[in-house]
Amino acid sequence: MNKKLISSLAAAVSTAAMAGFTAMNAFADDAAQGAAADGQATAQAGAMGLGGMLIPLVIMFALLYFVAIRPQKKRDKELKEMQQSLQVGDEIVTGGGIVGIVVSVGDDTVVIETGGAKHKLRIKNWAITENVTAIERMKEAKATGKKTAGLATAAVVDDTEDKKSKKKKDDEEE
């Protein structure tokens, strides 16, 4: 819903900018025709047309930056952080739709286990598009009221909870 509103707003602004540009050109052409005898007036009208064209272009570029470029950079940064914070035992999804559990993590590759027959696949980090386990940890942390800064923090929250539960189990066994 938000994206539709933003794109509608962007379309309206670009339409208004184009209408303003067209009107400015029409007035500049009229001014140029009326002052054809005076060469200085014609040069000023041409300069005004260039300035009038520059303003809508700047507005359109700024709108494009805030609607498309900036959010995409943010998503790319979050994806890279997620790919770097993978841990053994995380359930991941690749770009091709393969779902598996991380068995080992290398520098630029990850070995995952898939299916009931426990087939192992080695894939590149860049192919991983989603870390299901980290997302579940973040939801769990939010539900319990703990503050999280991102996927890495969600892993830390989960680790501390695991340590607490292990300690309780050890205390109960004694």
Side-chain angles (χ1 to χ4, degrees), residues 87-104:
Q87 299 175 350
V88 175
D90 285 349
E91 183 178 354
I92 56 110
V93 180
T94 67
I98 298 172
V99 179
I101 296 175
V102 177
V103 175
S104 69

Side-chain angles (χ1 to χ4, degrees), residues 27-80:
F27 289 125
D29 289 343
D30 288 344
Q33 288 174 357
D38 187 12
Q40 189 178 14
T42 306
Q44 287 177 352
M48 197 163 69
L50 179 64
M53 185 173 72
L54 188 62
I55 293 170
L57 285 175
V58 169
I59 291 171
M60 288 172 45
F61 180 74
L63 191 64
L64 175 70
Y65 177 77
F66 285 109
V67 171
I69 297 171
R70 191 171 168 213
Q72 183 62 39
K73 283 185 178 182
K74 184 178 178 183
R75 282 190 294 270
D76 289 345
K77 182 180 175 185
E78 289 173 354
L79 180 65
K80 191 169 186 167

Side-chain angles (χ1 to χ4, degrees), residues 122-141:
R122 190 176 81 181
I123 59 172
K124 293 284 191 177
N125 281 351
W126 56 261
I128 299 169
T129 57
E130 185 179 354
N131 186 342
V132 178
T133 309
I135 292 171
E136 289 173 0
R137 282 186 227 143
M138 283 181 64
K139 288 179 183 176
E140 206 173 277

Side-chain angles (χ1 to χ4, degrees), residues 23 33-34 37 41 43-44 56 83 105 113-114 119 131 136 138 154 164:
Q33 288 174 357
Q44 287 177 352
Q83 290 168 345
V105 179
E113 229 174 45
T114 62
H119 296 287
N131 186 342
E136 289 173 0
M138 283 181 64
K164 288 178 184 176

